Amino acid sequence: MPEAEAPYLIVREGQLAGQRWSITGDTVLIGREADCDIVLPERQVSRHHLRIFRQDSGYYAEDLHSKNGTYLNGQPLVGVQRLQDGDELQIALCVKMAFIGSEATLPLGQVPTLQPPRRLRLDAEAHAVFILGREIEPLSAQQFRLLELLYRREGRIVTREEIVAAVWPEAVSTGVSEQAIDALVRRLRERLAEADPEHNYVITVRGHGFRLDNPAWRGA
């Protein structure tokens, strides 16, 4: 089926919001494993979590005995169920996506723009960081707090005072030296560079603080 005429899945919420995948084949496998057609690198997602397949004139969804389940329009997906235009699939309670059979389903002015995934993705609940689609070795608690602060600001500047409040909340009243902050930033840069030496994620904005440079990743 031509991609322009094919139904598709679009993520509704979270860091992948706006990303979409056309369903051009007879079967689409969704899960955490690299051999899936749609890879969702979330710990709550099973290796082979869900499949969507075409049969006769319709499309059907089947949960593949995943650990954390799949929900169709808020109800557990049991057995094989036919998908209707606009149905919402929630995978392991962490990824919400909609099945769109045609552009006409979307309200006027709300046709989604494809947003490619970012080079770095942080899962705060799982305390995990992914770079270029792969989970990196765990960061220290302080490194993770700093990265989470930068990540949530989405490229906006974070001041040194804000870093102290997020990383060393017990020291807000007494303060933390600039050398300690710089050392933490340096260690975080080194850890990220181990996974992606071609890109500097943490940018120093002289006289103001730091920001995260997290461009789109075209290799997904």
Side-chain angles (χ1 to χ4, degrees), residues 99-191:
F99 173 81
I100 305 297
S102 68
E103 296 287 352
T105 300
L106 297 175
L108 186 63
Q110 295 187 17
V111 176
T113 301
L114 176 60
Q115 299 178 3
R118 301 291 174 175
R119 293 175 76 100
L120 182 150
R121 185 174 63 82
L122 183 146
D123 185 337
E125 183 177 347
H127 208 273
V129 177
F130 300 84
I131 292 181
L132 304 181
R134 295 180 178 273
E135 184 175 1
I136 69 173
E137 290 296 318
L139 301 174
S140 71
Q142 291 182 346
Q143 291 166 3
F144 190 86
R145 288 187 202 127
L146 172 57
L147 181 58
E148 184 177 16
L149 175 63
L150 293 165
Y151 187 79
R152 291 187 183 282
R153 289 299 180 87
E154 298 182 336
R156 297 190 297 275
I157 294 173
V158 173
T159 67
R160 290 176 178 270
E161 291 76 14
E162 290 171 322
I163 291 175
V164 172
V167 178
W168 296 280
E170 71 285 353
V172 170
S173 59
T174 58
V176 174
S177 70
E178 290 194 0
Q179 290 82 358
I181 297 173
D182 290 339
L184 177 60
V185 170
R186 183 178 65 253
R187 291 196 299 270
L188 177 59
R189 282 181 176 140
E190 291 171 351
R191 290 300 315 279

Side-chain angles (χ1 to χ4, degrees), residues 26-30 48-55 60-64 77 80 83:
D26 291 331
T27 301
V28 172
L29 182 62
I30 302 172
H48 294 159
H49 196 107
L50 170 74
R51 78 175 179 122
I52 294 175
F53 62 95
R54 181 170 58 189
Q55 182 173 304
Y60 296 79
E62 179 185 17
D63 184 87
L64 301 176
L77 176 61
V80 175
L83 293 174

Side-chain angles (χ1 to χ4, degrees), residues 1-9 21-29 50-62 72 77 79-87 89 98-102:
M1 177 183 295
E3 185 170 349
E5 301 175 5
Y8 60 89
L9 297 168
W21 297 271
S22 296
I23 304 175
T24 55
D26 291 331
T27 301
V28 172
L29 182 62
L50 170 74
R51 78 175 179 122
I52 294 175
F53 62 95
R54 181 170 58 189
Q55 182 173 304
D56 299 327
S57 60
Y59 288 84
Y60 296 79
E62 179 185 17
L72 177 61
L77 176 61
V80 175
Q81 295 193 35
R82 181 164 182 162
L83 293 174
Q84 303 295 328
D85 197 16
D87 277 350
L89 288 163
F99 173 81
I100 305 297
S102 68

